[in-house]
Amino acid sequence: MVHVMASIVVQPEQAKAARALLAGLSAESRREPGCLAYELFQRPDLPHMFRTVEQWQAVADRDAGMRKAHVAQAIAAGHTMFAAAPEIVTCARVDAS
């Protein structure tokens, strides 16, 4: 399983539009083959800060999802909203032994 986490900071006045854009991205991504989960979070104290947490069956599924048109469209639309470049990291789960 592959876990992907993203931190997305938008200009404060763009928070409402960004929320709608990212919610659409999440919904579309959840329909992708190999996507086990794709959740969107927004900070209540700083509503222009978002996080996504994704779970993919395999790296190939994540990579295929990133190449989909809805991802490219969201990035292009969000580009003018971003206060900084999104930080997207792939993580490995650490289980207690």
Side-chain angles (χ1 to χ4, degrees):
M1 187 177 320
V2 178
H3 299 267
V4 179
M5 298 171 194
S7 297
I8 303 154
V9 180
V10 299
Q11 298 168 31
E13 66 275 9
Q14 295 291 331
K16 185 176 180 180
R19 180 183 172 128
L21 177 71
L22 294 169
L25 172 66
S26 298
E28 285 290 323
S29 295
R30 281 193 291 273
R31 291 192 269 275
E32 291 299 324
C35 183
L36 303 174
Y38 196 118
E39 298 180 86
L40 174 63
F41 299 89
Q42 184 179 25
R43 285 188 54 174
D45 59 330
L46 296 169
H48 64 288
M49 298 180 80
F50 299 87
R51 297 208 193 259
T52 61
V53 178
E54 309 167 37
Q55 293 179 357
W56 296 87
Q57 188 68 39
V59 171
D61 296 320
R62 179 212 52 201
D63 292 348
M66 288 297 292
R67 291 190 297 268
K68 297 293 182 171
H70 71 272
V71 174
Q73 291 167 353
I75 291 170
H79 183 71
T80 60
M81 297 178 195
F82 298 146
E87 178 186 12
I88 303 170
V89 295
T90 299
C91 300
R93 184 179 196 159
V94 177
D95 292 317
S97 306

